[in-house]
Amino acid sequence: MAPTPHQAKTAKAKLISGGKQPKARIARYLKTTESQLVEGARGSLLLKGIRCSDAMATILKDMRSALAPHAKLLTKNNIIVPFDDAGQQSLEFLTTKNDASLFALASHNKKRPNNLVIGRTFDRRVLDMVELGILQYRSLNDFKGLPKKRLGSKPLLQFVGDLWSSDINLKRLQNLLIDFYRGDPVDSLVLNGLDHVMVFTAAETTLGGQEAQPLVHQRTYYMKLKKDPNGGKSPVPYLTPSGPDMDFRIRRTQFASPDLWKLAMKQPTTNKARKKKNQTTNLFGETIGRLHLERQDIDKRSGKKSKALRLAEKLEKAEEGAAIESELGREQEEMNSEFQQAYGFAPGDM
């Protein structure tokens, strides 16, 4: 039977503290490693494989510039084969030690030249990985003298092509790329803070007359917002190539099982907005509330009346009294006339 989260936390605390009751410092550290309801920016760990060429090292440096300040680059080579169990354990250890949930491993050998493996972890375990073969690359040094993005700015991500929705591998790769480059989570954006766009274009290719893996073109542009020359209110973006640019193909993939993926996508109940009773929102975004009150007898309610209303009420009562008296007098006269016709004399002559 698998241990509960509380049991796992207690066992980890005893392991760190040498089998004794954990000290306050260890308890504070364990609290920082717990899952949070609202996550901040994800850290990225960039590292080299067994052999790494200068070109692949340049890719890692440019990725650190693109992901800064939430990226850490390790300069030494690591004996890691990412698709083996031992290699995944090493990746899990390094990502946990450096507090990073995203990683990128660059390597180069005869069998798989210019190889880049990107992936992410969930609950300190490898969730999914994608191995990319870099076919062409232009670094930031190839765009010297051109404007570059600001540190920590969020990119606009654009995915061009129907393959991003039809191909399963590209669909999962799209999710991974969004997670990799999204930066700090924010609720709203200021237009002046948008300064670069990353475009990923997927194209079908053939190799020897047979359909091959789709080719993905990654292009990065510096964006400058200027006033619309046609007089529009919204600014117009002007794009300038700023790099880095690359073309790559998917070589190997290792995606999470459906159960693990469902667990990783599960949202805590505290983050879900509870439906408020008797409260709705209309088409224009206005909040409409419904109140349930007891039945009110308005006729019995009396409020303060002004002098004019009191005089009007007296006149109305006087008119009603005069009308009633006139009606009673008319009925009395009719009864007297009928009596005189029946008996030949008036009631007052008796």
Side-chain angles (χ1 to χ4, degrees), residues 107-319:
S107 61
H108 177 80
N109 52 53
K110 186 176 180 180
K111 186 178 181 180
R112 292 186 178 88
N114 302 326
N115 203 52
L116 180 66
V117 178
I118 60 175
R120 55 188 165 183
T121 62
F122 168 72
D123 195 17
R124 310 299 180 183
R125 295 177 296 172
V126 174
L127 180 66
D128 48 11
M129 293 185 298
V130 179
E131 185 180 65
L132 307 176
I134 310 299
L135 305 178
Q136 186 178 357
Y137 184 76
R138 294 184 65 191
S139 66
L140 292 174
N141 295 329
D142 297 331
F143 296 90
K144 286 185 177 180
L146 297 176
K148 302 292 189 301
K149 79 175 193 72
R150 293 188 291 269
L151 180 67
S153 61
K154 291 177 67 68
L156 289 176
L157 300 178
Q158 182 179 10
F159 294 88
V160 182
D162 298 335
L163 293 175
W164 292 109
S165 57
S166 60
D167 192 284
I168 298 177
N169 290 338
L170 286 179
K171 198 171 183 179
R172 299 293 291 270
L173 176 62
Q174 178 185 7
N175 185 278
L176 178 58
L177 291 173
I178 292 175
D179 217 7
F180 215 89
Y181 291 106
R182 70 186 180 100
D184 293 288
V186 294
D187 296 329
S188 59
L189 286 174
V190 182
L191 289 179
N192 294 334
L194 302 175
D195 58 359
H196 69 295
V197 184
M198 298 184 69
V199 183
F200 299 89
T201 306
E204 295 181 353
T205 58
T206 57
L207 185 62
Q210 296 181 355
E211 186 175 353
Q213 283 285 351
L215 181 64
V216 179
H217 307 276
Q218 175 185 333
R219 299 293 181 266
T220 307
Y221 301 94
Y222 175 79
M223 181 175 63
K224 181 69 175 177
L225 297 177
K226 296 184 179 179
K227 188 176 180 180
D228 189 358
N230 298 327
K233 293 183 179 180
S234 300
V236 178
Y238 288 84
L239 303 181
T240 305
S242 61
D245 298 343
M246 71 171 70
D247 298 339
F248 58 84
R249 275 196 178 96
I250 297 178
R251 285 177 177 166
R252 288 186 295 176
T253 60
Q254 179 179 316
F255 297 126
S257 61
D259 295 338
L260 183 59
W261 180 256
K262 184 178 180 180
L263 184 62
M265 296 294 292
K266 186 178 180 180
Q267 295 287 336
T269 55
T270 52
N271 281 357
K272 294 181 180 179
R274 295 184 178 180
K275 186 178 179 181
K276 295 185 178 180
K277 228 178 155 184
N278 302 323
Q279 184 173 329
T280 57
T281 305
N282 61 7
L283 182 64
F284 304 100
E286 300 172 341
T287 302
I288 300 175
R290 178 183 297 175
L291 299 178
H292 297 275
L293 302 176
E294 296 181 357
R295 183 177 179 83
Q296 299 179 0
D297 192 356
I298 303 177
D299 298 334
K300 294 182 179 179
R301 294 180 64 88
S302 60
K304 185 179 179 181
K305 298 179 181 179
S306 63
K307 186 176 181 181
L309 292 176
R310 291 197 298 268
L311 292 175
E313 187 176 358
K314 288 182 179 180
L315 293 175
E316 186 179 356
K317 288 182 178 180
E319 291 176 356

Side-chain angles (χ1 to χ4, degrees), residues 11-44:
K12 186 176 180 181
K14 288 185 177 179
L15 180 64
I16 294 177
S17 58
K20 303 177 182 178
Q21 189 69 18
K23 296 183 180 179
R25 179 174 58 84
I26 297 176
R28 288 194 300 268
Y29 167 73
L30 292 175
K31 191 173 182 179
T32 59
T33 60
E34 293 178 355
S35 57
Q36 301 175 359
L37 294 177
V38 180
E39 292 185 350
R42 295 193 173 189
S44 302

Side-chain angles (χ1 to χ4, degrees), residues 318-336:
E319 291 176 356
E320 288 180 357
I324 292 172
E325 290 180 359
S326 64
E327 183 68 22
L328 292 174
R330 186 176 58 79
E331 291 180 355
Q332 186 66 32
E333 290 177 358
E334 290 179 355
M335 292 174 62
N336 292 339

